[in-house]
Amino acid sequence: MDIPEDPNPPTHYAPGWEAAAATRARARRRVVVGVVAVATLVVLAVGTTVGTRAVTAARSRALPADVATPTDAYAVQLVTGSCLAALPDDGEVDRVEVVPCRDPHAAQVVAQYAFDRAAVWPGQEGAHARVERACVLSDEEVAAEVRLVTWAPTADSWAAGDRTGLCVAVPPAPVTGSFVDGTATPAG
């Protein structure tokens, strides 16, 4: 059913109608701006949470035993077989450069010690002692004056879930190849 147009539309409005219309328009704009602001905050919060989780996951993702190209890695990413360009100074180790074992390197992870997931923090000395008991060198490595360095979780990394200690073989001079498969030879 078609409704016919009013042949005589009103030509005047009640006093103040323009001010009321302007007030309604400003109120609508405030609502839209408020909704956009809240939506932006939600997107930022979700993005920050997802980004933080992605970075944390990437930092703890284990590397392959022998990388294809030099890689800057976190110590918690190292596995048995990881070859290190240089041995970091004594103390807490955060990041290291991992290199292909065919390249000259100053150290290599030769074993890992897994603490029980439910274990209570044994203290820094206790953690190092447990890892050290798991580290052994072959007779050939001892004869070649290879020394062992232990890396154990710290109180902070333990609190974050780190339960892996590392045994790192350090030859007197850079080598190529791997201690793990017996192919390590002096770099020439």
Side-chain angles (χ1 to χ4, degrees):
M1 166 179 184
D2 288 333
I3 300 175
E5 279 190 38
D6 186 354
N8 299 316
T11 57
H12 63 282
Y13 297 91
W17 73 271
E18 291 174 325
T23 300
R24 284 192 301 276
R26 282 192 300 274
R28 279 192 297 275
R29 278 193 297 273
R30 280 191 216 117
V31 168
V32 169
V33 168
V35 168
V36 168
V38 169
T40 301
L41 290 174
V42 168
V43 167
L44 287 173
V46 169
T48 300
T49 301
V50 169
T52 300
R53 287 184 181 164
V55 168
T56 301
R59 285 182 175 182
S60 61
R61 186 175 305 122
L63 294 174
D66 192 7
V67 297
T69 60
T71 304
D72 187 38
Y74 291 92
V76 297
Q77 293 179 279
L78 301 177
V79 297
T80 299
S82 294
C83 292
L84 310 177
L87 184 68
D89 294 332
D90 285 346
E92 193 172 321
V93 177
D94 184 38
R95 295 180 77 121
V96 294
E97 183 180 4
V98 181
V99 296
C101 292
R102 68 179 177 276
D103 295 349
H105 51 276
Q108 182 178 16
V109 177
V110 293
Q112 293 173 259
Y113 175 81
F115 289 87
D116 186 280
R117 284 274 163 221
V120 175
W121 171 240
Q124 199 62 63
E125 287 183 24
H128 275 290
R130 288 182 191 181
V131 174
E132 191 173 336
R133 284 193 298 270
C135 297
V136 293
L137 290 172
S138 70
D139 292 339
E140 295 83 22
E141 292 163 343
V142 171
E145 297 181 3
V146 174
R147 66 185 174 96
L148 273 173
V149 173
T150 59
W151 290 353
T154 63
D156 288 342
S157 70
W158 185 278
D162 181 10
R163 297 291 188 277
T164 303
L166 301 174
C167 304
V168 181
V170 183
V175 297
T176 58
S178 173
F179 289 109
V180 175
D181 66 13
T183 62
T185 58

